[in-house]
Amino acid sequence: MADWNERTAPAGQTAPAWQEAGSGSAGAPQGRTDADEVTIKFGKGLVGDPFTSRKTGKQLVEVSIPNADPSDKRPWARFVVPPGMIHDNKFGKGVWMKLPRNGTTRVSRPVLQGQDENGRNIWKREIRDVPNTELKEMVEFYRDKSRGSVLSDLEGKRAAAAETPRKAPRQATRPKDPAR
């Protein structure tokens, strides 16, 4: 976008507000910095299909939050955001979104209440408001996994291989060539 030029501007107009404020991008909200926002990064597989809200009629997308504990077999928690808030990252396999740091997001999880007389499961929704900083920790739990170094993992595999008995290697025999 070109800079504001007072010679080419119509009479009576002043410079746009984004340029008067100094450095900054066009359309960026005034007074908002990256310190005021939380960036959440996650895989495309966690984003559901777009749907239309029954209450407002707006387009929304459901984002799933995997359980941090692999032994936790409960259904995953979910939250809903407008699809315009979710952006593809430059590598194409992940997405990211920004939320206000001091805001909250409503997270819901299906909970099994029991069974009816026909034996069908009765599900209720557990709904809670979560601060956006905690939501980031919930979605990005995979980053906290301790990863041992490659060399320490290799030492363990070498020790396990040394304990297992080995079979004698088979001698490769070559078939005799009848032309000789």
Side-chain angles (χ1 to χ4, degrees), residues 71-97:
S71 63
D72 187 2
K73 301 300 180 192
R74 297 180 301 165
W76 290 358
R78 295 181 170 100
F79 64 96
V80 176
V81 293
M85 290 181 67
I86 298 177
H87 309 281
D88 289 331
N89 70 3
K90 63 182 178 182
F91 303 111
K93 295 199 177 195
V95 292
W96 59 273
M97 63 184 288

Tab-separated table of all heavy atoms in Angstrom, residues 71-97:
chain	number	residue	atom	x	y	z
A	71	SER	N	-4.499	-42.538	28.786
A	71	SER	CA	-5.401	-43.510	29.409
A	71	SER	C	-6.791	-42.926	29.641
A	71	SER	O	-7.711	-43.651	30.007
A	71	SER	CB	-4.809	-44.001	30.728
A	71	SER	OG	-4.696	-42.924	31.636
A	72	ASP	N	-6.971	-41.620	29.431
A	72	ASP	CA	-8.265	-40.966	29.580
A	72	ASP	C	-9.091	-41.247	28.330
A	72	ASP	O	-8.795	-40.751	27.250
A	72	ASP	CB	-8.071	-39.459	29.774
A	72	ASP	CG	-9.363	-38.739	30.098
A	72	ASP	OD1	-10.410	-39.395	30.216
A	72	ASP	OD2	-9.319	-37.500	30.232
A	73	LYS	N	-10.129	-42.053	28.473
A	73	LYS	CA	-10.945	-42.471	27.325
A	73	LYS	C	-12.234	-41.668	27.192
A	73	LYS	O	-13.124	-42.043	26.428
A	73	LYS	CB	-11.277	-43.967	27.427
A	73	LYS	CG	-10.048	-44.856	27.466
A	73	LYS	CD	-9.211	-44.684	26.234
A	73	LYS	CE	-7.982	-45.582	26.276
A	73	LYS	NZ	-7.023	-45.260	25.267
A	74	ARG	N	-12.367	-40.569	27.948
A	74	ARG	CA	-13.556	-39.736	27.829
A	74	ARG	C	-13.567	-39.035	26.479
A	74	ARG	O	-12.524	-38.861	25.856
A	74	ARG	CB	-13.574	-38.676	28.933
A	74	ARG	CG	-13.663	-39.242	30.328
A	74	ARG	CD	-13.684	-38.141	31.351
A	74	ARG	NE	-12.473	-37.329	31.243
A	74	ARG	CZ	-12.320	-36.146	31.798
A	74	ARG	NH1	-13.278	-35.617	32.496
A	74	ARG	NH2	-11.187	-35.485	31.673
A	75	PRO	N	-14.744	-38.587	26.008
A	75	PRO	CA	-14.777	-37.800	24.761
A	75	PRO	C	-13.997	-36.508	24.928
A	75	PRO	O	-13.876	-35.972	26.021
A	75	PRO	CB	-16.266	-37.503	24.565
A	75	PRO	CG	-16.984	-38.529	25.364
A	75	PRO	CD	-16.085	-38.875	26.517
A	76	TRP	N	-13.459	-36.019	23.825
A	76	TRP	CA	-12.641	-34.813	23.846
A	76	TRP	C	-13.501	-33.577	24.115
A	76	TRP	O	-14.657	-33.506	23.710
A	76	TRP	CB	-11.929	-34.634	22.520
A	76	TRP	CG	-10.851	-35.637	22.287
A	76	TRP	CD1	-10.431	-36.627	23.125
A	76	TRP	CD2	-10.034	-35.734	21.124
A	76	TRP	NE1	-9.413	-37.330	22.557
A	76	TRP	CE2	-9.145	-36.802	21.331
A	76	TRP	CE3	-9.974	-35.033	19.941
A	76	TRP	CZ2	-8.195	-37.174	20.382
A	76	TRP	CZ3	-9.031	-35.406	18.999
A	76	TRP	CH2	-8.158	-36.462	19.226
A	77	ALA	N	-12.892	-32.599	24.758
A	77	ALA	CA	-13.549	-31.308	24.968
A	77	ALA	C	-13.515	-30.532	23.659
A	77	ALA	O	-12.690	-30.794	22.779
A	77	ALA	CB	-12.844	-30.541	26.081
A	78	ARG	N	-14.438	-29.556	23.546
A	78	ARG	CA	-14.529	-28.785	22.309
A	78	ARG	C	-14.863	-27.335	22.609
A	78	ARG	O	-15.472	-27.034	23.631
A	78	ARG	CB	-15.627	-29.361	21.421
A	78	ARG	CG	-15.324	-30.759	20.957
A	78	ARG	CD	-16.449	-31.259	20.062
A	78	ARG	NE	-16.063	-32.497	19.437
A	78	ARG	CZ	-16.441	-33.684	19.853
A	78	ARG	NH1	-17.214	-33.796	20.892
A	78	ARG	NH2	-16.048	-34.771	19.218
A	79	PHE	N	-14.471	-26.446	21.687
A	79	PHE	CA	-14.907	-25.056	21.739
A	79	PHE	C	-15.205	-24.597	20.324
A	79	PHE	O	-14.796	-25.225	19.348
A	79	PHE	CB	-13.889	-24.151	22.447
A	79	PHE	CG	-12.557	-24.037	21.753
A	79	PHE	CD1	-12.293	-22.980	20.897
A	79	PHE	CD2	-11.557	-24.967	21.973
A	79	PHE	CE1	-11.070	-22.861	20.274
A	79	PHE	CE2	-10.324	-24.852	21.359
A	79	PHE	CZ	-10.077	-23.806	20.501
A	80	VAL	N	-15.952	-23.512	20.219
A	80	VAL	CA	-16.446	-23.034	18.930
A	80	VAL	C	-15.928	-21.621	18.680
A	80	VAL	O	-15.957	-20.783	19.579
A	80	VAL	CB	-17.991	-23.057	18.930
A	80	VAL	CG1	-18.543	-22.473	17.657
A	80	VAL	CG2	-18.504	-24.464	19.123
A	81	VAL	N	-15.451	-21.378	17.464
A	81	VAL	CA	-14.976	-20.053	17.050
A	81	VAL	C	-15.416	-19.793	15.610
A	81	VAL	O	-15.718	-20.728	14.869
A	81	VAL	CB	-13.432	-19.940	17.134
A	81	VAL	CG1	-12.955	-20.015	18.564
A	81	VAL	CG2	-12.755	-20.983	16.296
A	82	PRO	N	-15.436	-18.533	15.201
A	82	PRO	CA	-15.717	-18.229	13.787
A	82	PRO	C	-14.575	-18.744	12.905
A	82	PRO	O	-13.411	-18.702	13.309
A	82	PRO	CB	-15.778	-16.704	13.738
A	82	PRO	CG	-15.999	-16.271	15.143
A	82	PRO	CD	-15.387	-17.316	16.019
A	83	PRO	N	-14.867	-19.248	11.709
A	83	PRO	CA	-13.811	-19.803	10.863
A	83	PRO	C	-12.773	-18.769	10.430
A	83	PRO	O	-11.643	-19.127	10.113
A	83	PRO	CB	-14.552	-20.375	9.653
A	83	PRO	CG	-15.902	-19.789	9.692
A	83	PRO	CD	-16.184	-19.378	11.099
A	84	GLY	N	-13.102	-17.491	10.448
A	84	GLY	CA	-12.144	-16.461	10.066
A	84	GLY	C	-11.016	-16.288	11.073
A	84	GLY	O	-9.991	-15.685	10.760
A	85	MET	N	-11.188	-16.803	12.292
A	85	MET	CA	-10.146	-16.672	13.317
A	85	MET	C	-9.046	-17.713	13.143
A	85	MET	O	-7.969	-17.576	13.705
A	85	MET	CB	-10.751	-16.815	14.717
A	85	MET	CG	-11.617	-15.651	15.117
A	85	MET	SD	-12.274	-15.829	16.766
A	85	MET	CE	-10.799	-15.721	17.751
A	86	ILE	N	-9.313	-18.781	12.390
A	86	ILE	CA	-8.354	-19.875	12.226
A	86	ILE	C	-7.608	-19.669	10.907
A	86	ILE	O	-8.219	-19.514	9.855
A	86	ILE	CB	-9.060	-21.236	12.258
A	86	ILE	CG1	-9.738	-21.421	13.613
A	86	ILE	CG2	-8.091	-22.359	11.985
A	86	ILE	CD1	-10.534	-22.680	13.741
A	87	HIS	N	-6.264	-19.682	10.990
A	87	HIS	CA	-5.420	-19.428	9.818
A	87	HIS	C	-4.494	-20.611	9.592
A	87	HIS	O	-3.992	-21.211	10.544
A	87	HIS	CB	-4.568	-18.172	10.045
A	87	HIS	CG	-5.363	-16.989	10.480
A	87	HIS	ND1	-6.099	-16.226	9.608
A	87	HIS	CD2	-5.569	-16.453	11.708
A	87	HIS	CE1	-6.705	-15.261	10.281
A	87	HIS	NE2	-6.396	-15.377	11.559
A	88	ASP	N	-4.233	-20.935	8.319
A	88	ASP	CA	-3.268	-21.982	7.984
A	88	ASP	C	-1.864	-21.478	8.257
A	88	ASP	O	-1.563	-20.314	7.998
A	88	ASP	CB	-3.373	-22.374	6.515
A	88	ASP	CG	-4.637	-23.142	6.204
A	88	ASP	OD1	-5.150	-23.834	7.093
A	88	ASP	OD2	-5.095	-23.034	5.061
A	89	ASN	N	-0.992	-22.372	8.736
A	89	ASN	CA	0.397	-21.950	8.885
A	89	ASN	C	1.109	-22.119	7.548
A	89	ASN	O	0.565	-22.685	6.602
A	89	ASN	CB	1.106	-22.694	10.021
A	89	ASN	CG	1.357	-24.154	9.725
A	89	ASN	OD1	1.050	-24.646	8.644
A	89	ASN	ND2	1.900	-24.854	10.682
A	90	LYS	N	2.324	-21.658	7.460
A	90	LYS	CA	3.006	-21.633	6.168
A	90	LYS	C	3.425	-23.012	5.682
A	90	LYS	O	3.770	-23.183	4.532
A	90	LYS	CB	4.211	-20.703	6.221
A	90	LYS	CG	5.287	-21.129	7.201
A	90	LYS	CD	6.407	-20.120	7.225
A	90	LYS	CE	7.462	-20.490	8.225
A	90	LYS	NZ	8.522	-19.505	8.291
A	91	PHE	N	3.400	-24.028	6.543
A	91	PHE	CA	3.798	-25.371	6.139
A	91	PHE	C	2.622	-26.213	5.678
A	91	PHE	O	2.804	-27.275	5.114
A	91	PHE	CB	4.533	-26.066	7.285
A	91	PHE	CG	5.724	-25.294	7.751
A	91	PHE	CD1	5.741	-24.699	8.990
A	91	PHE	CD2	6.826	-25.120	6.924
A	91	PHE	CE1	6.835	-23.968	9.416
A	91	PHE	CE2	7.917	-24.387	7.332
A	91	PHE	CZ	7.923	-23.813	8.584
A	92	GLY	N	1.397	-25.784	5.957
A	92	GLY	CA	0.225	-26.447	5.428
A	92	GLY	C	-0.359	-27.560	6.267
A	92	GLY	O	-1.450	-28.017	5.995
A	93	LYS	N	0.319	-28.022	7.315
A	93	LYS	CA	-0.223	-29.118	8.112
A	93	LYS	C	-0.873	-28.659	9.398
A	93	LYS	O	-1.559	-29.416	10.055
A	93	LYS	CB	0.884	-30.113	8.455
A	93	LYS	CG	1.425	-30.786	7.226
A	93	LYS	CD	2.139	-32.042	7.574
A	93	LYS	CE	2.578	-32.703	6.288
A	93	LYS	NZ	2.965	-34.045	6.452
A	94	GLY	N	-0.656	-27.432	9.776
A	94	GLY	CA	-1.199	-26.929	11.029
A	94	GLY	C	-1.961	-25.644	10.819
A	94	GLY	O	-1.986	-25.068	9.730
A	95	VAL	N	-2.622	-25.218	11.883
A	95	VAL	CA	-3.354	-23.965	11.874
A	95	VAL	C	-3.033	-23.206	13.159
A	95	VAL	O	-2.495	-23.778	14.103
A	95	VAL	CB	-4.877	-24.191	11.742
A	95	VAL	CG1	-5.228	-24.749	10.388
A	95	VAL	CG2	-5.393	-25.100	12.833
A	96	TRP	N	-3.368	-21.923	13.186
A	96	TRP	CA	-3.160	-21.119	14.377
A	96	TRP	C	-4.286	-20.125	14.503
A	96	TRP	O	-4.990	-19.823	13.539
A	96	TRP	CB	-1.809	-20.409	14.351
A	96	TRP	CG	-1.603	-19.496	13.184
A	96	TRP	CD1	-1.125	-19.831	11.946
A	96	TRP	CD2	-1.903	-18.097	13.123
A	96	TRP	NE1	-1.088	-18.731	11.137
A	96	TRP	CE2	-1.562	-17.643	11.837
A	96	TRP	CE3	-2.406	-17.182	14.031
A	96	TRP	CZ2	-1.718	-16.330	11.435
A	96	TRP	CZ3	-2.570	-15.868	13.641
A	96	TRP	CH2	-2.219	-15.451	12.348
A	97	MET	N	-4.468	-19.640	15.715
A	97	MET	CA	-5.483	-18.626	15.974
A	97	MET	C	-5.011	-17.741	17.120
A	97	MET	O	-4.190	-18.163	17.934
A	97	MET	CB	-6.834	-19.257	16.302
A	97	MET	CG	-6.845	-20.083	17.563
A	97	MET	SD	-8.394	-20.892	17.876
A	97	MET	CE	-9.387	-19.523	18.352
